[in-house]
Amino acid sequence: MTITRRTFLAGSAVGVAAATGLAPAQASGDPITSWIARKAEPLGDLDHLRRSIAGAQIVGLGEAVHATAELTHLKLRVVRYLVERLGFRAIAFEDDWSLGTQLNEYVLTGRGDLNALVGQLSTESRTHEIAELFAYLRTYNATHRDKVRFAGSEYFATRQLAYDAIDEYVARRAPHRLAELRRSLKPIRPQLEDIGAYVQWYWKEVKDKAPYVAKAQAVLALVQKLPHRPNDRDYAITEHHARQILSFYTAFSLPEAEIWGYRDARAAENVRWWHGFTRNKVIYWAANAHTANAPGLRVTVPPDPDVVFRNAGSYLRDWYGDRYRSVGCTVDHGTTLGPVTLPPASSDWFEHQLTAARNGQFVLDLHSRPQPDAVRAWLRGTAKTRGIPEYGPGSYMTGDSLSDWFDVAIHTPEVTPTHPLVS
């Protein structure tokens, strides 16, 4: 989702040419930019990523900002490489789980209207460039037995289909519990087709949210007590539907500052669940703010107080160790969908050195050796980067170090907006 203050909480045809070589952007005696210039690799066929992410079970594929043509196409290139060369067969995407089940059906079978489905994603993802991701997955699956599966990693727009799926499952598997289920499920089933409007109604207008949370808890508890076979995938999906419903009602009952951390904790759990469910290596497609290993992430959004929270990537690093690898797609300046202007990186943002070191797009393994003392200090010092684009350079993110945040940075100096499906 576009990281606005509101959409961070609630969710919310430019090609990328392969570089043929890299040249320093400017002559410099600075040891940091000199090190970057030596270690940076042209995009090429991306095979140098193999060294950086070998052995990974989950790759966090981040982006500094959403809704730029260059970063979206770059990430699609990385997806293709991970799928076709490294055997990744699952994607967890920064959007709603329930809609994701329909998109998964599309990429597996071709059933459904692709543009209509993409048009229900968070606003910044309703673009031709994101549609290309699903078109690629569908084409790949149509010609391969070993399919790539897709899931949304978020709860923030849990749709009616999740409620209906639980009702159908209980009616089929435990009809004697159906009346009990419906006493809790029906009162909380969204009555608005516009799920965004329902989010705003519940979040902003419902004063007493405790009954909704209690009924969602009752639904999950009932499902979890149903007898089922080990490794029953039908049951596992039904339980996951119920878990997202509870996450939805719980999240929007919390004080606003607490939703940030709650959301990322649930996203991390959902990615881990998807990894276990598919028994396949997973690509976690989201913003850098979620995919980076940042246990102490601080977001500044003037004039509001800073928000500090533990992000999804830090949970995944704790759980998986080096089997979780973080790839950050970074940017210096340009324009994103809105349009929102992205000024050049401030001198104290890490992108400043990346842009100064090389022209064009490049890949940098942040663990490359040797590292002079100045480089180690830069990589291990407190990192700082762009925050919420709409708030300009006064909004930034910091906390932890650059070498903690990312194993690999793929840098793009300038970006332009993606193209909406509907003008």
Side-chain angles (χ1 to χ4, degrees):
M1 66 179 65
T2 301
I3 305 181
T4 64
R5 182 165 177 266
R6 175 62 55 83
T7 59
F8 190 101
L9 300 175
S12 65
V14 176
V16 177
T20 56
L22 295 172
Q26 60 186 48
S28 173
D30 176 60
I32 297 171
T33 54
S34 297
W35 179 82
I36 295 168
R38 290 196 306 273
K39 298 297 182 180
E41 299 270 8
L43 291 183
D45 65 0
L46 296 178
D47 205 44
H48 37 274
L49 285 178
R50 185 185 297 271
R51 298 192 303 271
S52 304
I53 60 179
Q57 285 295 302
I58 301 177
V59 168
L61 184 55
E63 56 194 31
V65 293
H66 292 307
T68 70
E70 289 77 11
L71 294 194
T72 306
H73 277 122
L74 172 60
K75 291 177 71 171
L76 180 54
R77 287 189 63 199
V78 176
V79 166
R80 294 182 63 133
Y81 178 79
L82 294 176
V83 168
E84 296 173 15
R85 304 289 292 278
L86 297 186
F88 281 71
R89 292 294 181 269
I91 295 176
F93 189 89
E94 186 192 337
D95 216 297
D96 174 60
W97 154 259
S98 54
L99 176 61
T101 62
Q102 295 178 297
L103 284 160
N104 186 52
E105 180 71 12
Y106 174 80
V107 301
L108 290 175
T109 69
R111 287 194 289 269
D113 182 318
L114 177 57
N115 284 355
L117 291 169
V118 172
Q120 296 177 61
L121 290 167
S122 297
T123 304
E124 70 284 349
S125 293
R126 300 171 187 173
T127 67
H128 289 281
E129 288 80 358
I130 292 295
E132 288 179 30
L133 167 66
F134 297 103
Y136 162 71
L137 295 174
R138 176 64 205 131
T139 299
Y140 181 89
N141 285 340
T143 55
H144 293 78
R145 284 188 173 184
D146 195 8
K147 311 296 186 188
V148 182
R149 287 167 166 78
F150 177 90
S153 62
E154 303 281 358
Y155 60 75
F156 53 62
T158 305
R159 288 159 168 78
Q160 292 92 336
L161 69 87
Y163 300 77
D164 296 342
I166 296 170
D167 188 273
E168 185 276 332
Y169 178 88
V170 174
R172 177 165 42 87
R173 293 285 192 92
H176 62 289
R177 305 293 300 275
L178 189 58
E180 178 187 357
L181 171 76
R182 287 176 174 173
R183 284 195 293 271
S184 296
L185 188 66
K186 279 193 169 183
I188 61 174
R189 185 184 186 277
Q191 298 304 306
L192 300 176
E193 289 298 323
D194 183 344
I195 197 64
Y198 185 76
V199 171
Q200 293 304 311
W201 171 80
Y202 174 70
W203 189 13
K204 298 302 182 182
E205 297 184 30
V206 174
K207 302 305 179 186
D208 184 8
K209 298 179 173 64
Y212 290 84
V213 175
K215 289 186 184 300
Q217 289 171 332
V219 169
L220 178 59
L222 186 151
V223 171
Q224 289 178 330
K225 291 175 183 176
L226 295 176
H228 59 278
R229 302 181 306 276
N231 301 316
D232 183 334
R233 296 170 76 79
D234 191 13
Y235 170 81
I237 291 174
T238 303
E239 183 191 27
H240 202 64
H241 280 312
R243 194 177 296 115
Q244 303 321 299
I245 291 170
L246 176 57
S247 294
F248 174 89
Y249 283 108
T250 301
F252 296 115
S253 71
L254 297 174
E256 191 167 300
E258 295 180 19
I259 299 178
W260 301 65
Y262 182 88
R263 175 190 168 188
D264 268 52
R266 302 293 80 75
E269 291 169 355
N270 290 341
V271 173
R272 180 172 62 173
W273 179 88
W274 189 233
H275 176 253
F277 180 81
T278 61
R279 303 187 184 101
N280 273 303
K281 295 189 286 187
V282 175
I283 302 163
Y284 176 31
W285 177 308
N288 286 343
H290 305 302
T291 60
N293 171 34
L297 191 64
R298 178 183 296 273
V299 182
T300 297
V301 189
D304 294 340
D306 290 1
V307 178
V308 180
F309 66 101
R310 185 177 182 187
N311 80 337
S314 67
Y315 287 100
L316 294 168
R317 178 58 58 82
D318 275 0
W319 297 334
Y320 289 90
D322 284 345
R323 294 183 304 147
Y324 177 71
R325 308 296 278 177
S326 170
V327 176
C329 295
T330 63
V331 62
D332 183 80
H333 66 278
T335 310
T336 186
L337 196 62
V340 177
T341 299
L342 308 173
S346 298
S347 60
D348 58 345
W349 297 357
F350 70 81
E351 294 92 342
H352 181 77
Q353 283 92 345
L354 296 178
T355 302
R358 286 289 190 184
N359 290 318
Q361 291 180 306
F362 61 82
V363 181
L364 177 66
D365 187 323
L366 296 176
H367 303 302
S368 292
R369 299 290 188 271
Q371 295 176 351
D373 290 345
V375 172
R376 283 197 300 274
W378 176 66
L379 290 171
R380 298 175 187 176
T382 301
K384 188 175 182 181
T385 187
R386 189 184 316 277
I388 298 175
E390 291 91 327
Y391 290 79
S395 176
Y396 60 87
M397 296 191 297
T398 187
D400 310 297
S401 71
L402 185 58
S403 60
D404 287 328
W405 279 1
F406 309 122
D407 298 293
V408 178
I410 307 181
H411 189 60
T412 301
E414 184 174 9
V415 293
T416 56
T418 47
H419 298 80
L421 286 174
V422 179
S423 301

